[in-house]
Amino acid sequence: MFLINCPYCGEREQSEFSCGGEAHISRPKNPPDTSDDQWADYLFMRKNIKGVQFERWNHSSGCRQWFNVVRNTSTDEILGIYNMGEAIPEIDGENPKTPSGEPEIGSGNISTSFKKK
Amino acid sequence: MHKKPKRYSIFSLIRNALSYHENWQPAWRSPEPKKEYDAIIIGGGGHGLTTAYYLAKNYGLTNIAVLEKGWIGGGNTGRNTTIIRSNYLWDQSAGLYEHALKLWEGMSQELNYNVMFSQRGVMNVAHTLHDVRELKRRWHANRLNDIDCEWLDTNKVKEFCPIINTSQNIRYPVLGATLQRRAGTARHDAVAWGYARGADAMGVDIIQNCEVTSINVKNGQVSGVETTKGQINSKKIGVVTAGHSSVIADMVGIRLPLESRPLQALVSEPVKPIINTVVMSNTIHAYVSQSDKGELVIGAGTDGYISYSQRGGFNIVEDTIAAVVELFPLFSRMKMLRHWGGIVDICPDASPIVSKTHIKGLYFNCGWGTGGFKATPGSGWVFAHTIANDEPHKLNAPFTLNRFSSGELVDEHGAAAVAH
C-alpha cells in the first residue's frame, strides 16, 4: 500500500487508483503488415520489470484522469509523475534495493532506464 | 554416489527417540556445485524440486542441480493457502490438474514423507444467478472429464458445512455450491522437503543460496549459467522461478506475457476444529480453510499492479476479511496472527506456460499465477518430460509460449475460482 500524488487532486491512497499497466506501448502502425508474433508481442508480452517501471495510472475513484508514474516495483517507491503523452523522464539515483535486502547482483534490480550517480 | 538416506518408519522413530533425536541424518545434502551437469533447474520451489525428482525418477537423469537463490520452499511454496483441486473448466486444464491430483493421492507413500494430504473437499459457492449458471457449467464440464464434482443446493451446503451463513437476507446469499470431494489441502513445506529428500536420494544436487546472475548462450544453444557460486555448465536449463520468471527471461532477451503481482494470505490464531472443508467464493472473493494446527487459513486477492515487494495493500486484506465474516459471522472476533504476500506471475489467460523456447536447451515453466500449488507434482512431471525429450508431454502441449501468437489461449479466469 502506498500513496500516489495525483497531479490533479493531490496525494491520495493507492486504493483510489487503478493501474493501467506498462506505459509507452504503441499499437502497430500498419495492422495488415503486422505478423501474428508482432501482434502477440503488442497484446501480451510485457517487460514486467523488477526495478524502475514506467506505468499508467487512472484516478478511478477520484478525478478519473490518466497520468504516468515512475515506480520502483521492488520497493513500490514512486520516483516521478508525468503527464500522458510526455516523453520518458530521466531518473537519477541509487540503484533500487529490495526490501528483503537482496544483493543488487542478478536480481534484475538494475533497471536499464535507471542511471547510477 | 552418496550414502542412501534411511527410510522413515515407526522403527526409525523409536530408534532415534532412544538417542534423544540427536542422530537424525539431514533430509538432503548441501553440496558445492560441480562444474557441469546434465541439466540445471533454476528455482528450488515445489515445481522446481518436482521437476528434478521426476527427471531423475522417470528419465534416469540424476546428474542434475537445483539452484535456489534463497532456501528451498521459501518463496511461493511457503506462501500459498495449500488448496488442491482439479475442477477446471477446459479439457486442457482438467487433464493437467487432474493428473496432478492423482499424484497427490499417492505422494506421501511414494516419498516416504508425510505431506499431510487431506481430501476434505473444496466447495465453490455461488451467490448470484450468474454464479449458479457458471458453476453448473463447470460441474457438467468436470463430469464429462471424469473429474468428481457435485452440485449442492443451499440446504445441502448448510448440511455439509454447518457454520456457513445461509441466510437469504445478506448482500450475497448462498444459492448453492459445487463440491469436489477428492480435493483438499496439504502441508506445503512438507511437499518441498519431501521432494527435495526424494530427489537428493537419487543424486540430485540441491544448491541453496546460489543466485543465477546470467545465462550463457552459444550459437542459439544454452551452455550454462553464471551464479553467485561461480560458473556452472549445462546443455539443458529449466527455469521455474514463478514471480521472477520475467527477470530470468530478460537475461536472454525473451519476452513473456506475465505480470508479477503480490498475492496476500493470512492466518488466524489457532482454534479447535470448526470448519471441515475448504470454502471458496469467487463473487465476494474469500477462501478459507483450517490448518491441522487450528489456524484459519485465509486467501486474499492480488493487488492490481506489478510489484516484487512481497507485500500488498491493506485494503485487499480488509475486503477479504469482510467477505469471510459475511459468510461466517462467528469468525468476527477471531484475531489474525500472521499475514504475508507472495509474488505471483499472472498470465493473460490465467493458464500456465510449460514450454520450450527459441533458444535450444532452455525451457520455461511459469505463469501459474495464483494457483500453482495444486499443480506442483503434475507441473514437475510434464516439465521433466519436456526437458528430457525436448518435446512437450501431451498434457502440457497446449500450454506453450506459442499460444499467444496462434490465439489458442486456454481461458481459465472463471475456473481460477477467484477472480484476480
Side-chain angles (χ1 to χ4, degrees):
Chain A
M1 191 164 205
F2 46 88
L3 299 172
I4 298 175
N5 196 0
C6 171
Y8 308 95
C9 310
E11 204 166 63
R12 300 293 168 89
E13 282 183 15
Q14 175 268 318
S15 58
E16 285 190 17
F17 298 82
S18 310
C19 186
E22 191 181 319
H24 308 292
I25 297 175
S26 50
R27 190 180 157 82
K29 290 248 170 1
N30 195 0
D33 295 339
T34 306
S35 71
D36 288 350
D37 285 342
Q38 286 166 323
W39 276 117
D41 195 75
Y42 161 70
L43 281 170
F44 299 121
M45 304 301 163
R46 295 292 176 263
K47 283 183 187 158
N48 194 22
I49 211 158
K50 182 178 185 178
V52 176
Q53 164 161 284
F54 300 93
E55 58 190 14
R56 302 172 303 169
W57 283 83
N58 179 253
H59 194 180
S60 47
S61 299
C63 63
R64 301 179 66 188
Q65 297 291 316
W66 284 95
F67 53 93
N68 289 316
V69 171
V70 193
R71 184 172 57 95
N72 176 0
T73 59
S74 52
T75 59
D76 288 338
E77 182 190 5
I78 291 180
L79 304 162
I81 287 176
Y82 58 105
N83 290 330
M84 300 304 282
E86 279 180 21
I88 297 175
E90 291 213 340
I91 304 286
D92 271 343
E94 284 299 307
N95 281 324
K97 290 185 179 59
T98 54
S100 55
E102 290 169 56
E104 288 173 22
I105 182 167
S107 296
N109 294 349
I110 306 159
S111 168
T112 45
S113 45
F114 200 74
K115 283 200 291 185
K116 199 171 182 178
K117 261 182 188 167
Chain B
M1 272 311 262
H2 66 103
K3 205 171 67 181
K4 209 171 163 55
K6 295 192 178 77
R7 277 183 70 79
Y8 296 145
S9 67
I10 183 73
F11 304 109
S12 74
L13 191 63
I14 295 167
R15 196 167 51 244
N16 281 285
L18 293 174
S19 57
Y20 301 98
H21 295 294
E22 284 172 359
N23 295 327
W24 286 105
Q25 77 183 109
W28 58 86
R29 302 157 296 138
S30 295
E32 282 304 308
K34 292 186 229 166
K35 285 270 164 283
E36 184 156 6
Y37 288 94
D38 293 339
I40 289 175
I41 307 299
I42 305 176
H47 291 222
L49 292 165
T50 50
T51 304
Y53 178 84
Y54 290 118
L55 270 173
K57 183 167 178 250
N58 296 355
Y59 305 99
L61 270 177
T62 54
N63 186 27
I64 310 175
V66 177
L67 308 181
E68 167 56 45
K69 180 170 77 167
W71 62 94
I72 66 162
N76 292 352
T77 306
R79 290 166 189 269
N80 60 78
T81 49
T82 77
I83 299 169
I84 296 156
R85 60 187 175 87
S86 63
N87 55 352
Y88 277 71
L89 177 66
W90 300 110
D91 297 352
Q92 299 93 318
S93 327
L96 189 53
Y97 290 102
E98 179 60 17
H99 181 63
L101 182 52
K102 285 184 176 138
L103 290 171
W104 278 108
E105 287 174 330
M107 191 187 290
S108 291
Q109 287 73 20
E110 183 181 337
L111 296 177
N112 178 230
Y113 203 99
N114 185 6
V115 299
M116 293 162 75
F117 180 50
S118 155
Q119 291 176 298
R120 60 184 69 180
V122 167
M123 209 164 66
N124 288 102
V125 183
H127 301 279
T128 64
L129 194 57
H130 173 75
D131 280 359
V132 172
R133 288 177 183 147
E134 194 65 40
L135 283 173
K136 280 191 172 171
R137 180 190 180 200
R138 189 132 65 86
W139 162 43
H140 293 306
N142 289 161
R143 296 292 295 270
L144 287 170
N145 276 319
D146 244 356
I147 293 170
D148 74 304
C149 185
E150 49 198 280
W151 174 257
L152 307 179
D153 62 21
T154 310
N155 291 333
K156 284 191 180 150
V157 169
K158 186 75 178 170
E159 219 170 86
F160 185 68
C161 180
I163 61 165
I164 200 166
N165 179 13
T166 48
S167 159
Q168 295 301 299
N169 291 325
I170 56 176
R171 175 65 184 86
Y172 291 105
V174 174
L175 300 182
T178 58
L179 171 65
Q180 186 181 19
R181 289 187 193 267
R182 285 164 62 239
T185 61
R187 171 93 174 102
H188 50 196
D189 294 325
V191 178
W193 298 334
Y195 274 103
R197 177 168 168 266
D200 178 85
M202 290 185 281
V204 173
D205 282 357
I206 295 163
I207 299 154
Q208 303 180 76
N209 297 311
C210 178
E211 183 177 357
V212 171
T213 53
S214 66
I215 296 175
N216 300 328
V217 180
K218 272 184 208 145
N219 305 325
Q221 153 79 47
V222 288
S223 61
V225 290
E226 302 290 335
T227 74
T228 47
K229 291 194 174 183
Q231 185 181 343
I232 307 173
N233 294 328
S234 179
K235 295 259 182 286
K236 283 176 187 260
I237 298 173
V239 182
V240 204
T241 53
H244 280 69
S245 298
S246 299
V247 175
I248 302 283
D250 191 45
M251 292 174 184
V252 286
I254 290 178
R255 273 162 70 78
L256 294 173
L258 300 175
E259 288 202 334
S260 297
R261 300 197 208 154
L263 175 65
Q264 299 176 87
L266 55 160
V267 295
S268 73
E269 56 192 337
V271 291
K272 285 186 178 174
I274 180 78
I275 178 164
N276 57 330
T277 186
V278 183
V279 177
M280 312 180 68
S281 164
N282 195 343
T283 300
I284 60 174
H285 208 296
Y287 45 118
V288 60
S289 63
Q290 189 171 18
S291 73
D292 290 0
K293 255 190 286 182
E295 303 152 323
L296 294 181
V297 183
I298 298 170
T302 53
D303 284 277
Y305 50 84
I306 292 171
S307 175
Y308 289 84
S309 65
Q310 291 195 332
R311 67 200 63 188
F314 188 69
N315 54 314
I316 306 278
V317 176
E318 205 176 1
D319 290 348
T320 300
I321 293 293
V324 168
V325 169
E326 183 170 80
L327 269 188
F328 301 101
L330 83 171
F331 291 159
S332 63
R333 288 160 70 193
M334 294 275 285
K335 296 181 185 75
M336 293 300 145
L337 269 192
R338 287 175 286 121
H339 153 239
W340 63 91
I343 301 305
V344 295
D345 43 336
I346 298 179
C347 241
D349 57 354
S351 284
I353 298 165
V354 186
S355 180
K356 294 162 68 170
T357 63
H358 71 264
I359 297 173
K360 212 167 161 347
L362 184 65
Y363 309 89
F364 270 86
N365 183 354
C366 58
W368 292 91
T370 58
F373 178 72
K374 68 176 81 70
T376 304
S379 160
W381 184 286
V382 297
F383 197 43
H385 184 282
T386 309
I387 293 175
N389 300 322
D390 197 36
E391 273 305 319
H393 188 278
K394 69 177 189 320
L395 289 175
N396 70 309
F399 298 100
T400 59
L401 199 47
N402 293 337
R403 74 177 188 268
F404 296 95
S405 298
S406 69
E408 287 174 291
L409 304 182
V410 186
D411 181 8
E412 284 292 359
H413 278 288
V418 286
H420 289 285

